[in-house]
Amino acid sequence: MGSLRLEHITKRYSDVTAVDDMNLDIEHGEFISLVGPSGCGKSTTLEMIGGLTMPSEGTVAIDGNDVTDLPPKDRDLAMVFQNIALFPHMTVFENISYGLRIQGADDDEIQRRVDDAVETLKLDGMLERMPSELSGGQRQRVAIGRAIVRDPEVFLMDEPLANLDAKLRVHMRTELQRIQRKLDVTTIYVTHDQEEAMTMSDRVAIINDGVLQQIDPPLTCYSEPNNQFVAGFIGSPSMNFIEGHIDGDRFDAEGVAIDTARLDLDDGPVTLGIRPEDIYLESDDPAPEMVGGIAAAVDVIEPIGEKMFVYLVPEARAEMDAIADGEADGQDHLLMSIDPDADIEEGQVVDVTFDRSNIHLFDAASGDALVHGIETESAPTP
C-alpha cells in the first residue's frame, strides 16, 4: 500500500512561511500533481514528504505510520528530480542498479529487478551504454528506472520533464502515465505547468503562497474553481475577469448587464469570470443559452491553427474610434477563442455574448467562488 497523509504541515524559514498548514490525504495508486506558480511551496511540500526538509509543524504519515522524523532512506520512497543526475562514469545497468547494490541486494535479485525495469521502460539494448551516449528522453527513463527498481510505496517527482524539449515532454508525459498505471504506485508530481497537471493527474492540488487552494479532479478544478486564483491559473488561455457589482437582481459592469434574480446574491462588488471559449460572436451564438451582450472593438487577432484568439476591448461604441484606427493603448482586453474561419477583422466593432452556463462569479474581496453558471429568468426551468 502507499497511502499518504499530511496533517497541518507548515514550513517556515525565518520570517517567510513557505508552506502554511497543508492538509492532504492521498490514496494508494493515485497520481497527484502539486501545481502552482514559482515559489508557491510545491517543491518544499514534496521535500517534506521525502524527508529532505523537516517541517516546522505537522506530521507526515505513510500507510498510517508517522514518518515525520525518519530519514529519506527509511520512508520507502523513490525520487526523480529535474536534474537527472546520472553517474557519468557508470553504464545504464550500473546506474539503474546502484541503489540496490547500496542496499546489499544479491546479484540475482538485482538482475531480475533491472530486467523488469528495462522491459517497462523500453530500454532494451542500452544497458551497456554510458549516459553520454543517450538522448535526453533515454536518460530520463534511466533515472525513472533507478527509482522503479527500488519497488517503493510512493514515487516523488519534481519537474522531471522540465529540461526536455516540447515534443519529447509530450511523449514522456504519456510514458509516465503508462508506467504509473502499470506499477500502481502512488505518485506525487510537482510541476509549474498546469497542462501537465491537468492531463496526467487523478487529482490536482493547486497551491499559492504556501496555501492549498483546491485539490480535486482536473475537470472539477477547471469547471468549478474554489476561487479566482484557481480560475485564473487553471486553463490556457486564462479566464477573463470583469469587475462589477450586484445591484438588486442584476450584475452590472461597464458594458455588461446580466440578470441574476435566481441567484439570491447580496448587493456589492463581485468579479465575473468567463473563459475565452465561452465567448461567442452574437451572430453565431446558440441562443437562448447566451447572456450579457457586449459591444467591443477587435484589437489583435492570433490565428493558431485549430482556433483563433481574438483580443477585444469592450467599450461604448462612441469611444472605439482609436481602437479601430489601430491606436489601442494596451488597456484590459477580453480574450475570445473562436473558429479560425470566422469572418472578423482587426479594428472591427463586434457584439459578443457569454455562455450563461459557464459564467462564474467571485467575491471581490476574498476571491471565493459564489456561482458557477448563471440561470436567468428566461432560461427554462429544469
Side-chain angles (χ1 to χ4, degrees), residues 115-353:
D115 287 345
D116 288 346
V118 166
E119 181 181 357
T120 298
L121 295 165
K122 304 186 186 307
L123 290 170
D124 306 78
M126 301 182 191
L127 289 180
E128 298 306 315
R129 295 188 188 179
M130 306 300 287
S132 60
E133 300 174 301
L134 304 176
S135 67
Q138 290 168 340
R139 287 196 295 270
Q140 190 59 269
R141 279 186 279 162
V142 172
I144 295 170
R146 187 169 55 189
I148 286 175
V149 295
R150 294 186 55 196
D151 193 22
E153 293 290 347
V154 180
F155 281 143
L156 304 181
M157 299 188 177
D158 193 353
E159 303 202 55
L161 309 183
N163 292 333
L164 305 181
D165 63 66
K167 183 177 180 180
L168 186 54
R169 284 180 70 173
V170 173
H171 172 73
M172 284 303 300
R173 205 162 68 194
T174 304
E175 287 292 296
L176 281 178
Q177 293 175 79
R178 179 183 61 80
I179 293 165
Q180 193 269 341
R181 285 196 304 268
K182 179 177 180 179
L183 299 176
D184 192 30
V185 177
T186 306
T187 301
I188 305 170
Y189 186 96
V190 163
T191 179
H192 67 276
D193 186 333
Q194 56 98 5
E195 184 175 325
E196 275 187 7
M198 293 285 284
T199 55
M200 298 175 70
S201 311
D202 296 312
R203 290 189 295 160
V204 179
I206 302 105
I207 303 170
N208 187 39
D209 291 335
V211 178
L212 180 64
Q213 305 291 316
Q214 183 167 358
I215 177 165
D216 274 310
L219 290 181
T220 301
C221 294
Y222 179 85
S223 59
E224 300 177 16
N226 279 355
N227 54 46
Q228 190 173 336
F229 172 80
V230 174
F233 189 83
I234 295 296
S236 180
S238 296
M239 183 180 287
N240 296 288
F241 296 109
I242 300 173
E243 302 297 328
H245 61 277
I246 298 294
D247 185 5
D249 293 337
R250 298 184 70 80
F251 168 85
D252 283 306
E254 185 175 351
V256 186
I258 299 174
D259 175 17
T260 58
R262 297 192 178 188
L263 300 180
D264 192 27
L265 296 174
D266 295 333
D267 288 0
V270 297
T271 301
L272 181 148
I274 186 73
R275 295 195 183 278
E277 58 269 30
D278 295 320
I279 302 176
Y280 297 82
L281 292 172
E282 192 171 78
S283 57
D284 298 333
D285 74 49
E289 296 296 317
M290 298 295 122
V291 294
I294 298 176
V298 178
D299 188 12
V300 176
I301 296 176
E302 294 180 346
I304 60 169
E306 79 281 7
K307 53 190 170 184
M308 183 163 62
F309 294 148
V310 180
Y311 292 84
L312 304 168
V313 181
E315 291 188 356
R317 290 180 183 273
E319 299 172 355
M320 291 183 178
D321 291 344
I323 301 163
D325 292 339
E327 300 175 5
D329 60 2
Q331 61 262 62
D332 290 342
H333 287 87
L334 191 67
L335 177 58
M336 175 174 63
S337 175
I338 58 176
D339 290 337
D341 56 354
D343 183 16
I344 192 170
E345 298 179 353
E346 292 179 358
Q348 181 181 352
V349 175
V350 296
D351 293 309
V352 298
T353 56

Side-chain angles (χ1 to χ4, degrees), residues 36-50:
S38 297
C40 72
K42 54 189 184 292
S43 290
T44 302
T45 300
L46 195 78
E47 290 168 3
M48 288 190 286
I49 294 170

Side-chain angles (χ1 to χ4, degrees), residues 13-45:
Y13 295 98
S14 184
D15 59 345
V16 175
T17 301
V19 177
D20 190 6
D21 197 28
M22 180 83 66
N23 291 282
L24 279 177
D25 277 298
I26 299 172
E27 299 298 323
H28 169 75
E30 274 197 294
F31 194 119
I32 301 293
S33 288
L34 308 182
V35 66
S38 297
C40 72
K42 54 189 184 292
S43 290
T44 302
T45 300

